[in-house]
Amino acid sequence: FFRVTMAPAAKMAVAAKDDLKFMVDKRTSRKENAEDFKAGIRQYRRALQKPRTHPRVGSAVMPFKVFVRKRPLFEHEVQKGEYDTVTCVDGLRVTVHKCTMKPDLKHMYIAHKSHYVHGVFDEQCTNKDVYEGTARPLLDAALSGNTATLLMYGQTGSGKTHTITGIVELSAHELFRRLPTGAQVLLSSIELVGNQCYDLLNEREPLRLRDDADGLVQVMGLRHTPPMRGPDELLHWISVSQRSRKSHATHVNACSSRSHLFIRLTIRLPRGRGATDQSVLTFVDLAGSERNEDTFWHDTDRIKESAQINASLSVLKQCIRLQTSNSSQRGSFKHVPFRQSELTRLLKDSFTSPAAESALIATVSPTGTDTEHTLDTLAHATVMASTDGVTRTDHQDVPIGLDEQLRRGTKSAKTRVIPPNRWTAAEVQEWLAHVSEGYASLPSGTDGKQLVRMSEIRFIQACRGDAELGGLVFQALQDQVRSINQTKVASAKASREAQIEHKHQQAVKSAGLKYQKAPRDVVVAAY
């Protein structure tokens, strides 16, 4: 929990007394050395050299798709010394810049931890952008008669409620614009507190979950509203149900949700001759998770409450991971343990219906104070997306005074480049997923040494016979190898020139002469 850093005033003292150190919290360290850390993050972002693109949704059919949304940094956070430590790349990758101290208690470094999911929305994306990429396909599925579910997951104060509120509003208006003649929309709302369900549209009456003869989970006592007449009426009753939800104040939010909220839209679609089909579109706002410093003030009831929330989220993560794994690995089926929690029992149709479609949006905070919680959220998200093996960590040293050196132009941006033949198996999978947008596949144990020996034909096979894509992937690898080799040659040449210059300088000085470096822009003309 504790890290060691040096206060700005103590940095000068270290030169005189090398063992002078100060013990402070790691979050305080990030703020005290903010300018140097921010300079290091700017270096990393410039090295990416990637233009901003809109989030792209993978083309593969998945029962559960996992997305990440990064909220913007607020002005009051900037005034407190916070800075942006999260970078979204190419609409598929999230990189968290973990700023910390080395074990020698003197030097700083940044661990750039990258995670891949099915789609990423940066701080410039609006609720409309998030809706188009996540909820609209679910609405299409529901209007086709299938079960559709959208879940919101994230830390308290990461923008979870703001996102779900905007998505529900856009979905309501879109639903009634596209609703067929004669179709009906009914609303029900359930709150899950611990292991107990309550009906939020019926004065919080307790509900019971029962399995019927067909194996379906029935919510006993749940009431539905009469058919809604339009989006405004639907949104009104959703707002009424949200006001009845259980919440508590935390250090982050004055009103933090401490329960799981289910908003169920039952859609009755006419199919002729008096017959109807019924589908369900469900929005689930999961209970907000908290940092460890928030739980310090919890009483016994709140600690028990948090333990129940964490247990239900753990089962949900396991169910989504297994469901995603079952869909991506043909011929291999693993049981999804949805009966282990009331939360997953309410979502049974999402795990058992072959035509069900679901998505989860994980919201993250960009502040340095929330770094550990953001990493925890992304770790869970990548496990649920079955991309936990496609992660990468790059380390960057941050010397004291880096910000000032960069402003004066005395230090150029420098990043460590790993040659492809030294990539680990996880790094190979990350690179392949990036260049082929998740289409190509290689055995999970393929490392860099094996990768660079592969022919173009082998890459075409990895791209499922797509000759054009396989050729592009092969060429991308060759270009990367060539670029790194050119960089090595240039670096070696510069190093040799520096050594020759140094020897010349020493020889001139030993002869008692005054050394003067020749300007590089001198041009010698030959006649």
Side-chain angles (χ1 to χ4, degrees):
F1 178 78
F2 289 99
R3 297 283 183 184
V4 177
T5 186
M6 294 174 290
K11 294 177 182 177
M12 299 295 293
V14 174
K17 188 175 180 181
D18 190 58
D19 60 349
L20 181 61
K21 307 176 185 70
F22 292 86
M23 178 70 76
V24 296
D25 175 71
K26 57 190 173 185
R27 297 185 177 94
T28 303
S29 167
R30 289 169 188 155
K31 292 182 179 180
E32 288 184 347
N33 301 284
E35 296 305 320
D36 289 339
F37 279 132
K38 287 191 289 186
I41 293 172
R42 287 196 299 270
Q43 279 189 337
Y44 180 85
R45 287 171 175 164
R46 283 197 298 268
L48 290 175
Q49 295 180 347
K50 297 289 184 179
R52 180 179 179 271
T53 58
H54 289 287
R56 298 193 301 272
V57 180
S59 57
V61 178
M62 303 288 288
F64 262 96
K65 289 187 177 181
V66 179
F67 304 87
V68 172
R69 186 184 192 184
K70 170 193 171 185
R71 71 161 173 83
L73 194 65
F74 299 136
E75 182 61 32
H76 69 86
E77 293 173 331
V78 175
Q79 294 175 358
K80 293 180 180 178
E82 296 288 357
Y83 50 95
D84 190 353
T85 59
V86 178
T87 302
C88 300
V89 186
D90 289 346
L92 291 173
R93 181 175 69 175
V94 185
T95 300
V96 181
H97 312 287
K98 185 178 181 181
C99 306
T100 186
M101 303 295 293
K102 286 189 174 182
D104 63 4
L105 312 180
K106 302 175 186 177
H107 301 92
M108 301 176 290
Y109 76 98
I110 302 176
H112 307 285
K113 297 179 177 289
S114 299
H115 302 261
Y116 270 94
V117 288
H118 298 126
V120 173
F121 302 90
D122 63 21
E123 65 273 21
Q124 299 181 41
C125 291
T126 64
N127 282 339
K128 178 72 172 177
D129 297 326
V130 181
Y131 166 77
E132 292 290 341
T134 60
R136 187 165 189 172
L138 300 179
L139 182 60
D140 295 340
L143 289 173
S144 300
N146 299 322
T147 299
T149 307
L150 177 66
L151 300 98
M152 294 297 307
Y153 170 73
Q155 170 197 358
T156 296
S158 62
K160 185 165 56 71
T161 301
H162 170 76
T163 301
I164 191 67
T165 301
I167 289 178
V168 169
E169 182 176 350
L170 291 167
S171 299
H173 286 89
E174 180 79 9
L175 172 61
F176 279 93
R177 278 198 301 269
R178 299 172 53 187
L179 200 64
T181 303
Q184 296 179 336
V185 178
L186 289 73
L187 170 68
S188 60
S189 185
I190 304 171
E191 181 185 31
L192 177 60
V193 183
N195 294 320
Q196 180 60 57
C197 297
Y198 299 93
D199 189 342
L200 295 182
L201 294 176
N202 188 23
E203 299 180 350
R204 293 182 58 84
E205 280 292 317
L207 303 171
R208 293 179 298 170
L209 303 184
R210 293 290 184 269
D211 293 335
D212 61 16
D214 297 327
L216 301 177
V217 176
Q218 302 293 341
V219 185
M220 308 302 295
L222 179 64
R223 290 188 181 181
H224 294 78
T225 63
M228 297 286 101
R229 292 169 292 185
D232 293 337
E233 183 181 16
L234 175 60
L235 292 173
H236 166 74
W237 285 108
I238 290 176
S239 178
V240 169
S241 68
Q242 289 176 326
R243 287 197 295 267
S244 302
R245 188 180 181 186
K246 184 178 182 181
S247 63
H248 288 290
T250 68
H251 290 285
V252 180
N253 267 349
C255 185
S256 174
S257 54
R258 307 307 303 148
S259 63
H260 305 305
L261 172 66
F262 290 73
I263 299 173
R264 282 185 169 182
L265 305 182
T266 302
I267 306 173
R268 295 175 179 172
L269 302 168
R271 293 304 182 197
R273 298 184 180 181
T276 60
D277 286 341
Q278 181 170 293
S279 63
V280 178
L281 175 60
T282 306
F283 299 95
V284 184
D285 187 5
L286 298 170
S289 55
E290 297 179 345
R291 300 193 304 262
N292 288 335
E293 65 181 41
D294 295 324
T295 61
F296 177 79
W297 305 100
H298 287 183
D299 56 23
T300 303
D301 293 335
R302 293 289 305 282
I303 292 175
K304 181 179 179 181
E305 178 185 81
S306 297
Q308 291 174 332
I309 291 173
N310 291 336
S312 62
L313 292 176
S314 177
V315 176
L316 175 65
K317 177 186 71 174
Q318 180 74 351
C319 290
I320 295 177
R321 184 184 68 82
L322 291 174
Q323 181 75 352
T324 306
S325 177
N326 287 338
S327 67
S328 60
Q329 298 178 6
R330 295 181 180 179
S332 174
F333 179 80
K334 298 178 182 178
H335 172 67
V336 180
F338 62 86
R339 292 187 179 87
Q340 293 184 5
S341 168
E342 300 299 294
L343 172 61
T344 47
R345 287 186 68 193
L346 286 168
L347 295 171
K348 179 184 177 182
D349 287 349
S350 301
F351 299 118
T352 58
S353 176
E357 294 188 23
S358 304
L360 181 141
I361 303 175
T363 54
V364 296
S365 166
T367 65
T369 300
D370 294 330
T371 296
E372 282 71 28
H373 212 300
T374 297
L375 287 171
D376 184 65
T377 298
L378 291 175
H380 284 77
T382 52
V383 168
M384 289 185 281
S386 288
T387 59
D388 52 306
V390 188
T391 59
R392 177 172 177 170
T393 301
D394 295 317
H395 293 275
Q396 176 187 2
D397 291 333
V398 180
I400 294 174
L402 174 62
D403 178 60
E404 183 177 355
Q405 293 172 8
L406 291 177
R407 286 202 306 268
R408 293 180 177 179
T410 57
K411 188 175 182 66
S412 60
K414 182 179 180 181
T415 56
R416 185 180 67 178
V417 180
I418 303 176
N421 64 336
R422 294 174 55 190
W423 288 349
T424 63
E427 290 169 343
V428 169
Q429 296 296 328
E430 178 192 7
W431 173 83
L432 187 64
H434 173 67
V435 297
S436 69
E437 297 187 0
Y439 189 78
S441 62
L442 286 172
S444 58
T446 304
D447 60 14
K449 291 182 179 179
Q450 297 169 318
L451 182 72
V452 295
R453 295 193 184 103
M454 291 183 181
S455 64
E456 184 174 356
I457 295 176
R458 181 65 183 90
F459 281 101
I460 294 174
Q461 294 173 345
C463 295
R464 309 176 194 178
D466 190 328
E468 181 180 0
L469 180 59
L472 291 174
V473 173
F474 176 75
Q475 189 60 45
L477 178 62
Q478 299 306 310
D479 291 343
Q480 185 145 1
V481 172
R482 189 179 303 108
S483 174
I484 291 176
N485 289 338
Q486 291 174 351
T487 301
K488 285 183 176 180
V489 171
S491 177
K493 182 179 179 181
S495 178
R496 287 196 301 269
E497 290 177 350
Q499 291 175 2
I500 294 172
E501 186 76 21
H502 178 71
K503 290 181 180 179
H504 177 65
Q505 178 182 358
Q506 295 298 321
V508 170
K509 288 183 177 180
S510 64
L513 301 176
K514 183 178 180 181
Y515 173 78
Q516 184 175 1
K517 188 175 181 179
R520 291 185 177 272
D521 56 352
V522 172
V523 178
V524 179
Y527 295 93

